[in-house]
Amino acid sequence: MAATGDVPVRVCNQEIVKFDLEIKATVQDIRDCQGPLSVLTELNARVKEKFQYLRLRIQELEQMAKEQDKESEKQALLLEVENHKKQMLSNQTAWRKANLACKIAIDNSEKDELLQGGDQLRQRKTTKESLAENASTITESLMSISRMMSQQVQQSEETMQTLANSSQTILDANEEFKSMSGTIQLGRKLITKYNRRELTDKLLIFLALALFLATVLYILKKRLFPFL
């Protein structure tokens, strides 16, 4: 492999070895796993992901081998690809066996719990009943809160309606005030005009009275003092 001097090939091989070692380590973790199933599921997901990466790298290495110009280097790389595929199959077999062993261990552990856990089952039953009572209490509390919130919403709606009515009343009063203000202004103008007319009438009456008095005085003067 080193004789080829192909850096991408070397890097690809190193990644294949890395994923192979990570798969072996995780398979061992599965073999030692005693449960619960959630832990086993998580470990299997990690192994599956590593297998996907490993398969891609082996495919890349196989493609690189086919692209080699020298037949000897090509055959050498294809041989390495074949070895990697065999190792991957071996890891898959070990993975299945580890899963089987882990599931058997988990089943046995659950059986032991069932045989020795009579008190625990009763306690769980009591706990479930207690949880059910608590859930019922919580549900009633939530329903009560919901009713209170509904009442608050209704009161808020009524308040908003009252405010809307009050606002409309204020607007109506404002319109009436504007109308009254116009009427008052018109009345003020009429009064001012009337006052002016009254002043004019008084002045005319005064002049007429003065003319009348002057006429009377003139007539009296003519009759009483004709010699003047």
Side-chain angles (χ1 to χ4, degrees):
M1 181 64 221
T4 63
D6 196 343
V7 175
V9 172
R10 187 183 306 113
V11 172
C12 189
N13 261 314
Q14 290 174 353
E15 291 184 352
I16 289 173
V17 172
K18 183 189 73 171
F19 289 131
D20 178 73
L21 293 175
E22 290 176 353
I23 288 172
K24 283 183 170 62
T26 310
V27 169
Q28 184 61 43
D29 292 338
I30 292 174
R31 190 178 293 109
D32 298 335
C33 177
Q34 299 296 321
L37 285 175
S38 58
V39 175
L40 177 61
T41 301
E42 182 180 355
L43 291 172
N44 280 324
R46 286 165 53 187
V47 173
K48 185 177 180 180
E49 182 181 14
K50 298 299 181 183
F51 268 121
Q52 290 176 349
Y53 289 138
L54 178 61
R55 189 176 294 105
L56 288 175
R57 293 297 178 270
I58 292 175
Q59 290 176 354
E60 290 178 4
L61 184 61
E62 186 175 10
Q63 184 62 33
M64 291 178 187
K66 294 178 180 179
E67 294 175 355
Q68 294 296 319
D69 295 331
K70 295 182 180 181
E71 186 65 25
S72 58
E73 293 179 357
K74 178 179 180 180
Q75 293 301 324
L77 286 178
L78 289 175
L79 181 60
E80 289 185 11
V81 169
E82 189 64 26
N83 291 332
H84 289 317
K85 288 182 178 180
K86 290 180 180 179
Q87 187 60 47
M88 185 174 65
L89 290 174
S90 176
N91 287 334
Q92 289 175 341
T93 302
W95 181 26
R96 287 193 292 270
K97 291 181 179 180
N99 265 281
L100 180 60
C102 180
K103 289 179 180 179
I104 291 174
I106 292 174
D107 290 341
N108 291 334
S109 177
E110 290 178 351
K111 290 178 181 178
D112 292 339
E113 288 181 0
L114 289 174
L115 292 174
Q116 300 176 2
D119 294 337
Q120 293 180 357
L121 289 175
R122 285 191 294 270
Q123 184 178 0
R124 289 177 183 174
K125 182 178 180 181
T126 303
T127 302
K128 288 182 179 179
E129 292 176 352
S130 177
L131 289 174
E133 292 177 358
N134 291 335
S136 178
T137 303
I138 292 172
T139 302
E140 292 178 358
S141 299
L142 291 174
M143 292 178 65
S144 176
I145 293 172
S146 177
R147 287 192 295 269
M148 292 176 61
M149 291 179 66
S150 178
Q151 293 175 357
Q152 291 293 331
V153 170
Q154 185 176 0
Q155 291 178 1
S156 298
E157 291 178 352
E158 293 176 354
T159 303
M160 291 296 294
Q161 185 63 36
T162 302
L163 290 174
N165 294 335
S166 300
S167 177
Q168 186 62 40
T169 302
I170 292 173
L171 290 174
D172 294 340
N174 188 30
E175 292 296 329
E176 291 180 1
F177 176 76
K178 289 180 180 178
S179 178
M180 290 176 64
S181 177
T183 304
I184 292 171
Q185 289 180 0
L186 180 60
R188 186 182 293 114
K189 290 180 180 179
L190 291 174
I191 291 172
T192 303
K193 185 176 181 180
Y194 174 77
N195 289 334
R196 290 177 182 175
R197 178 65 61 82
E198 184 180 7
L199 180 61
T200 303
D201 292 343
K202 286 180 179 179
L203 182 59
L204 291 174
I205 291 171
F206 176 76
L207 291 175
L209 181 61
L211 180 61
F212 175 74
L213 289 175
T215 304
V216 171
L217 289 175
Y218 177 77
I219 293 172
L220 290 174
K221 178 182 175 184
K222 290 294 183 179
R223 288 186 179 183
L224 296 176
F225 306 99
F227 52 89
L228 291 178

